[in-house]
Amino acid sequence: MDPMLVVIAVLAVLALAGGLWLVSGRRRGRVPPEVSPHKPLDREEALPTARPEEAGAGTESPGEAPEAGERAGGAVATLERPESIPGRMQRLRARLAGSGGFGKAILSVLSRGDLSESDWEEIEDTLLTSDLGVEVTMELMDGLRTQAKVLGTSDPEAIRGVLRSGLLELVDPTMDRSLNLARPAAAESADLPAGAEPAAAILMVGVNGTGKTTTCGKLARVLVAQDRTVVMGAADTFRAAAAEQLSTWGRRVGVEVVRSEREGADPASVAFDAVRKAADQNADVVLIDTAGRLQNKAGLMDELGKIKRVMGKIAPVGEILLVLDATTGQNGMRQAQVFSEAVGVTGIVLTKLDGTAKGGIVVTVQRELGVPVKLVGLGEGADDLAPFDPEGFVDALLA
Ligand SMILES: Nc1nc2c(ncn2[C@@H]2O[C@H](COP(=O)(O)OP(=O)(O)OP(=O)(O)O)[C@@H](O)[C@H]2O)c(=O)[nH]1
Ligand SMILES: [Mg+2]
């Protein structure tokens, strides 16, 4: 055989092998299309993707981007120390009592002693205005009337006891209200570096203005107060101000915030980057803030499903908190149902309970969804968030 031909054949084989190796090497290093968090899907097809290096997405820690005046002589200002949980419970009890104007109104009727039919109607009206809903009110009224017949209404203390146990039963102390902070096993597609473990992931969802970002910030503080390491993800890419709002919360307690500088970036991509970052850092918890959305916007509801799915490429999302504004009352119920169907809500955060006397909403929302109220927002202050405690709540209502 012509030696020249042999040389050409060998070179051709080598070139082919080299080419194949490069391709498979690229494949190895690349996330397959269906699992790529950066690939825009569905209606986002037209939107630019949000790879951190392309879109200016990045993380911000307190040391990297301090606010003006935050540095003194090159040192980062001291971080805030969030209030301990028992401390805040004590402080917030009075505000919780405010959400139960109805409890006191009923007690005052009961204290009249022998109740006339119009007294009973007054109790019924009061319960109805507390957002307990008609069905629950009727149930509670039946119980009260029956007990009143047995005990006689001349003993207001006894009736108060009946009201307390009736309300407590409605609020249901048997529900598990703990946040799921167990670290999940990594998904097969996670491809994490050795030693990295996914963090417990919490996704915050809800309609506009209910308090999602504020709750993310407050919850980060609760977790920091418990000595947990936290990463937050600003998956509200709708407005640049939203990421800044979350970053401000993070900065105050030294929690890193993963964000995209570009408005309209794919929120699922930012959520993925945050979950990935949390795993790489072995953080305990990753909190993902999302943009407010109306439940009747199907495309936006699908987007939430996508965020959850893409986060699941690292590990399953353990907690999906629906943030509901307590002052919207029964209107919140429809929202709650649609969000629940779209992403499977695991817990409710009832915010602005300090601004309403309609604490009955706690009962209604739990009944409608079969999901417990886990946290309550009781003010605009940084530590005005508390775990929901049924006994404390009912006692505050009847204090
Ligand atoms: N009084 C009171 N105000 C609250 C509470 N939680 C949140 N807020 C206020 O509600 C307003 C909206 O809060 P955000 O956290 O920005 O709400 P959001 O759901 O993130 O809003 P979007 O991202 O626009 O959908 C802010 O002024 C908060 O201070 C609460 O528990 N009590
Ligand atoms: Mg927000």
Side-chain angles (χ1 to χ4, degrees):
M1 191 187 281
D2 186 339
M4 202 52 200
L5 274 179
V6 173
V7 170
I8 288 170
V10 167
L11 281 176
V13 168
L14 281 176
L16 191 63
L20 281 176
W21 179 81
L22 265 181
V23 170
S24 68
R26 267 205 219 113
R27 276 216 190 102
R28 257 204 302 272
R30 196 185 64 188
V31 191
E34 65 278 17
V35 301
S36 168
H38 303 300
K39 185 183 181 298
L41 298 176
D42 317 320
R43 74 185 175 82
E44 288 93 346
E45 210 71 65
L47 291 173
T49 52
R51 281 205 83 99
E53 61 272 24
E54 290 162 7
T59 62
E60 190 183 86
S61 63
E64 283 167 12
E67 278 179 336
E70 216 176 9
R71 272 176 190 273
V76 176
T78 33
L79 298 175
E80 291 177 21
R81 181 192 291 268
E83 191 177 8
S84 74
I85 307 302
R88 69 179 70 193
M89 296 299 285
Q90 191 67 27
R91 184 173 54 78
L92 294 173
R93 197 151 291 148
R95 290 201 207 153
L96 206 51
S99 62
F102 72 95
K104 271 161 231 89
I106 292 173
L107 284 181
S108 90
V109 178
L110 289 176
S111 68
R112 290 175 199 159
D114 281 328
L115 298 188
S116 66
E117 191 50 36
S118 76
D119 289 332
W120 282 113
E121 274 168 24
E122 197 179 334
I123 295 180
E124 188 174 302
D125 289 347
T126 311
L127 287 172
L128 282 173
T129 54
S130 75
D131 271 344
L132 269 179
V134 179
E135 196 186 317
V136 174
T137 297
M138 293 310 156
E139 240 174 71
L140 194 57
M141 286 300 294
D142 283 349
L144 278 176
R145 279 175 184 264
T146 310
Q147 289 296 318
K149 275 195 198 120
V150 177
L151 299 167
T153 50
S154 52
D155 183 358
E157 256 323 291
I159 296 289
R160 181 183 184 280
V162 174
L163 180 60
R164 184 187 186 276
S165 59
L167 284 173
L168 195 56
E169 197 178 316
L170 287 175
V171 176
D172 194 355
T174 64
M175 281 182 151
D176 179 8
R177 294 167 199 279
S178 56
L179 285 181
N180 179 7
L181 296 178
R183 297 181 72 148
E188 263 176 43
S189 54
D191 192 23
L192 296 176
E197 261 184 61
I202 301 181
L203 180 62
M204 218 62 82
V205 303
V207 301
N208 308 69
T210 54
K212 294 172 295 300
T213 308
T214 306
T215 301
C216 271
K218 288 175 174 176
L219 184 54
R221 297 173 69 94
V222 170
L223 297 167
V224 166
Q226 295 173 334
D227 287 328
R228 295 180 205 265
T229 48
V230 182
V231 170
M232 291 199 282
D236 179 353
T237 55
F238 206 59
R239 299 172 296 124
E244 191 43 42
Q245 188 190 354
L246 195 67
S247 295
T248 303
W249 279 99
R251 231 175 266 144
R252 291 168 66 179
V253 284
V255 165
E256 188 166 358
V257 175
V258 175
R259 55 189 280 186
S260 166
E261 295 305 332
R262 196 171 47 75
E263 273 182 25
D266 181 2
S269 165
V270 178
F272 179 88
D273 288 344
V275 171
R276 175 90 211 203
K277 178 119 215 158
D280 286 348
Q281 294 185 352
N282 266 328
D284 296 314
V285 186
V286 57
L287 297 173
I288 306 295
D289 183 30
T290 61
R293 64 202 69 224
L294 280 175
Q295 72 277 7
N296 56 7
K297 297 270 191 285
L300 293 178
M301 296 311 285
D302 291 347
E303 183 182 83
L304 275 188
K306 180 188 166 191
I307 293 174
K308 179 184 172 188
R309 248 183 353 263
V310 170
M311 287 169 71
K313 303 296 178 192
I314 299 287
V317 181
E319 194 77 77
I320 299 181
L321 296 178
L322 174 67
V323 183
L324 279 182
D325 176 340
T327 64
T328 57
Q330 299 281 340
N331 291 340
M333 286 313 104
R334 181 70 197 134
Q335 298 166 19
Q337 281 156 352
V338 179
F339 274 90
S340 205
E341 280 158 24
V343 278
V345 170
T346 58
I348 294 152
V349 182
L350 210 50
T351 58
K352 313 188 194 182
L353 210 50
D354 53 306
T356 175
K358 300 184 167 192
I361 194 73
V362 170
V363 173
T364 318
V365 69
Q366 287 188 160
R367 284 211 159 189
E368 295 278 326
L369 296 190
V371 166
V373 172
K374 293 193 169 178
L375 299 167
V376 285
L378 289 160
E380 295 196 79
D383 290 324
D384 292 345
L385 181 79
F388 180 69
D389 160 41
E391 305 240 352
F393 178 66
V394 171
D395 284 336
L397 297 191
L398 301 177

